[in-house]
Amino acid sequence: MNSLFAFTVEVLCGVVNLPTPSQRFNKNESGLDTAVETVAMVSMQIAAKEAEDVSGHSDITVSIDGTWQKSMGIRL
């Protein structure tokens, strides 16, 4: 487990008065990281292909921070 992540989880659990995750969780984390990364990559590839099919070209602007949700799709 990433030491910064482990420290953050430990602090968060202390703040909300919860026990820290067990070592069993830590053993499964690397597999979970791989699965999440794989799903994210496939999802992005599918979205890119759909956007390319709709627009007709591959030069597409992407917002990855969610600002389009806040501005309701209106560019300022």
Side-chain angles (χ1 to χ4, degrees), residues 19-75:
T20 56
S22 69
Q23 290 297 327
R24 200 168 108 190
F25 172 78
N26 296 344
K27 291 177 187 174
N28 296 328
E29 183 195 0
S30 64
L32 183 61
D33 286 349
T34 303
V36 168
E37 185 174 342
T38 300
V39 169
M41 291 300 292
V42 170
S43 177
M44 288 186 286
Q45 289 171 347
I46 291 170
K49 179 66 176 142
E50 288 177 3
E52 183 178 358
D53 291 346
V54 168
S55 69
H57 55 84
S58 60
D59 186 19
I60 301 168
T61 302
V62 177
S63 172
I64 59 171
D65 62 358
T67 54
W68 66 274
Q69 295 172 336
K70 297 173 191 155
S71 65
M72 302 172 75
I74 301 169
R75 291 187 180 239

Side-chain angles (χ1 to χ4, degrees), residues 1-11:
M1 176 184 289
N2 179 324
S3 60
L4 179 59
F5 177 75
F7 176 74
T8 304
V9 167
E10 191 172 314
V11 170

